[in-house]
Amino acid sequence: MRVSPPLVFAAALLAAVTAAGCGAGDGGGKGGRPSSAPSGAPSSQTSPSREPDAWIPGHVAKMSLADKVGQLFVPTFSSRADAVEKIRKYRVGGLIYFPENISTPERTAAQSNALQKASKIPLLLGVDEEQGIVSRTPFVTRFPGNMALGATGDPSLAKAAAQVTGTELRAVGINLDYAPDADVNVNPRNPVIGLRSFGADPAPVSRMVAGAVSGYQAAGIAAAAKHFPGHGDTATDSHTGLPVIGHSPAEWRRVDAPPFKAAVDAGADMIMTAHIVVPKLDRSGDPATLSKTVLTGLLRNELGYQGVITTDSLLMAGVRQKYGDAEVPVRAINAGADQLLMPPSLPRAYRAVLNAVRTGKISERRLDESVTRILRLKQRRGLFQGTAADPAEARAAIGTAGHRAVARRVAEGAVTLVRNDDGVLPLKGRKVAVTGPKSAALGAALRRNGIQVTAPGSADVTVLTTENAGRATASRVAALGPKPVVVAALGRPYDLDAADGAEAALATYSSSAVSVGALARVLSGAVNPTGRLPVPAAGKPAGHGLGY
């Protein structure tokens, strides 16, 4: 059956959502998808005080088992035809975009519209657009990323950056961002989080997470805080292995839990699980994605979260080591997950869940709980009122002067001056050599800011840029000889741990063009550095930062 309610109900529901401020106004674009609130929804005589999503439980009760199971899945797709087949055959609840699915803003908007048109229930069209080192969308306004935002110490900037990104994604029909990262990066050797984290101190990280969640959702797209119960203290990448974290319950509540509680309190539409084992939280040895103790016990019951829980990608090694690909989806649902992201084989996973419900391994009540949460999320984001993006207007909404100004504010506010011996900075009046990653771009930016850039042999001072060089930073500083050296860490600030031989040290947390430009303005003295270390580095604690 195709979902098509009476138009009178659609108008009443749209008015109710708009009045309640639930996100309908964020959404459809001109000529949006016609209202698709399911048949059996309340009539136009419904009391105005009735909640806009009050129709959902009744509709879920009338859905077929196949339709319900489909809502749990968010697969990848190789082409528009492949996506449409998955929508029609498996009734999927959403799809995730990767760079191969994204071209121009106009084409992406048109593709989003075509996918929504193929589905009888609006789709969650998601993307991993964290900004910084995890960015899938080639045309959005570029931001430095979370650790740079953490260095600004300003949650309002986290909100503004997320709102810019969310607005641009919604312009091309994407309505879910798998962001922000809510992990507290307390392990400098963490291979998978690092710069994706706002920092190492749970209190400021919590404030930034809350700001980002508010910004994405103010733009009309769902936010997904990740990776619960916290991926910040691991030296193993869960894409390639199964990390084990030794945090005790008390340590988890002190370090890892606060940002997720902040996301819950901020009304996050979604929280993503981590494929990690925390033995002191759950002795079973199961990854958190498959742990009822973690997802239902801690996230649902202790933190009080009532939104959608999504797994991280089920393609990742961390969730596939202990159980087979058909058993993992069933265990994830019974643990408390609502959506299953990127199953290795959609047909196999779909059949496994369908059979598990038919045989009672997953109760129908448990299935209905997940489907109800998913539809309520779609209702909150206004998807039942309209999903269409306007291809003709998509490009104009992206990279505006106002959006670029926000990115510049973030980049400049992030630059952290960690050491400045003998007042070597700012560089005005000195001849400067630049070497290392992005040296050509930085040299050009310094020239634009009035700095004389010259060859190393004739320079008064050398600026050495590094990008995740680690211990090699020390030998690179030493190789530059006796003249003063300024080290600028364009990636992880932990490079500065090995920069003792340099007279000055800074961190930008990003090698993006906007960050390189901000670094040049700080080095030249055009901008006073105001950033503060969000993680310990260079022997200094989190919160340290100098100015001119």
Side-chain angles (χ1 to χ4, degrees):
M1 66 169 185
R2 177 103 187 154
V3 177
S4 53
L7 292 179
V8 64
F9 168 69
L13 184 57
L14 176 58
V17 175
T18 303
C22 291
D26 302 325
K30 292 183 179 178
R33 168 198 182 109
S35 171
S36 54
S39 55
S43 71
S44 59
Q45 282 76 37
T46 300
S47 167
S49 64
R50 187 178 177 94
E51 290 296 323
D53 62 3
W55 57 269
I56 291 175
H59 176 70
V60 171
K62 298 176 182 178
M63 290 173 68
S64 71
L65 180 57
D67 282 343
K68 290 178 185 179
V69 170
Q71 286 296 302
L72 309 182
F73 287 96
V74 180
T76 57
F77 61 101
S78 60
S79 65
R80 186 182 299 187
D82 177 48
V84 169
E85 181 182 8
K86 287 173 177 174
I87 292 166
R88 291 178 174 164
K89 187 171 183 178
Y90 298 104
R91 294 92 151 176
V92 294
L95 295 158
I96 182 169
Y97 279 67
F98 280 90
E100 56 267 29
N101 310 125
I102 300 170
S103 53
T104 65
E106 297 88 346
R107 289 178 180 175
T108 305
Q111 175 174 262
S112 297
N113 291 344
L115 300 183
Q116 292 288 7
K117 187 176 180 180
S119 180
K120 65 181 180 180
I121 293 177
L123 297 165
L124 289 171
L125 297 179
V127 69
D128 267 321
E129 189 54 67
E130 297 178 18
Q131 292 281 6
I133 61 173
V134 176
S135 180
R136 313 290 194 209
T137 320
F139 43 71
V140 295
T141 299
R142 288 280 159 249
F143 281 85
N146 280 356
M147 194 167 283
L149 279 162
T152 72
D154 187 351
S156 71
L157 275 180
K159 179 177 181 178
Q163 192 159 356
V164 167
T165 300
T167 298
E168 296 186 352
L169 293 177
R170 191 69 192 244
V172 299
I174 294 172
N175 52 45
L176 164 61
D177 195 356
Y178 291 105
D181 190 294
D183 301 309
V184 181
N185 199 77
V186 294
N187 189 337
R189 298 182 302 280
N190 195 322
V192 65
I193 304 301
L195 295 171
R196 299 167 66 188
S197 167
F198 288 111
D201 185 332
V205 169
S206 298
R207 292 190 290 270
M208 303 303 280
V209 166
V213 167
S214 297
Y216 288 123
Q217 294 182 182
I221 69 168
K226 59 191 186 185
H227 308 80
F228 190 83
H231 211 314
D233 191 8
T234 173
T236 301
D237 185 344
S238 54
H239 292 83
T240 57
L242 181 57
V244 178
I245 293 178
H247 288 192
S248 67
E251 193 173 8
W252 175 77
R253 290 182 177 94
R254 178 176 58 83
V255 175
D256 303 291
F260 291 101
K261 184 62 167 68
V264 172
D265 292 344
D269 283 327
M270 187 176 284
I271 290 179
M272 179 184 283
T273 70
H275 305 326
I276 60 173
V277 172
V278 189
K280 293 177 184 177
L281 298 182
D282 179 1
R283 298 177 183 175
S284 70
D286 287 345
T289 296
L290 309 182
S291 169
K292 189 171 184 177
T293 301
V294 172
L295 300 190
T296 300
L298 295 181
L299 184 51
R300 291 275 185 228
N301 297 338
E302 183 166 330
L303 299 189
Y305 185 58
Q306 297 304 312
V308 172
I309 297 175
T310 179
T311 70
D312 202 344
S313 168
L314 298 183
L315 281 166
M316 293 165 61
V319 78
R320 302 175 74 185
Q321 287 193 358
K322 191 173 180 182
Y323 303 105
D325 290 343
E327 190 172 355
V328 163
V330 175
R331 286 183 171 268
I333 295 300
N334 278 329
D338 300 305
Q339 282 204 314
L340 304 163
L341 181 62
M342 298 170 59
S345 167
L346 177 60
R348 172 188 270 190
Y350 179 90
R351 287 194 302 269
V353 174
L354 192 66
N355 290 336
V357 179
R358 285 173 174 163
T359 61
K361 193 169 184 180
I362 295 175
S363 71
E364 288 197 44
R365 179 179 178 181
R366 174 70 197 85
L367 176 64
D368 287 356
E369 289 172 351
S370 287
V371 176
T372 299
R373 290 189 191 105
I374 293 164
L375 296 187
R376 281 180 169 154
L377 187 162
K378 295 178 178 184
Q379 171 70 32
R380 280 196 305 277
R381 291 302 127 223
L383 304 189
F384 288 106
Q385 285 68 54
T387 57
D390 189 336
E393 295 185 1
R395 186 174 293 276
I398 294 168
T400 67
H403 290 182
R404 295 195 307 273
V406 176
R408 177 169 170 157
R409 283 174 56 207
V410 172
E412 289 182 350
V415 178
T416 307
L417 179 59
V418 178
R419 187 171 64 254
N420 191 19
D421 295 346
D422 300 323
V424 68
L425 296 177
L427 295 172
K428 194 168 287 293
R430 294 180 173 89
K431 291 185 287 184
V432 179
V434 183
T435 185
K438 306 290 183 180
S439 56
L442 179 57
L446 286 169
R447 290 188 185 96
R448 290 194 297 271
N449 283 275
I451 301 300
Q452 184 180 354
V453 179
T454 186
S458 57
D460 302 318
V461 59
T462 298
V463 175
L464 168 66
T465 59
T466 69
E467 191 167 12
N468 307 328
R471 294 178 182 177
T473 302
S475 60
R476 294 177 188 179
V477 172
L480 292 173
K483 292 184 180 179
V485 174
V486 176
V487 173
L490 305 185
R492 300 180 183 214
Y494 308 116
D495 283 2
L496 301 184
D497 293 342
D500 289 348
E503 278 69 22
L506 307 92
T508 66
Y509 317 95
S510 168
S511 61
S512 63
V514 69
S515 292
V516 171
L519 173 63
R521 290 188 288 277
V522 168
L523 290 171
S524 70
V527 169
N528 185 40
T530 59
R532 297 289 183 267
L533 285 172
V535 297
K540 303 296 184 182
H544 170 80
L546 304 174
Y548 293 149

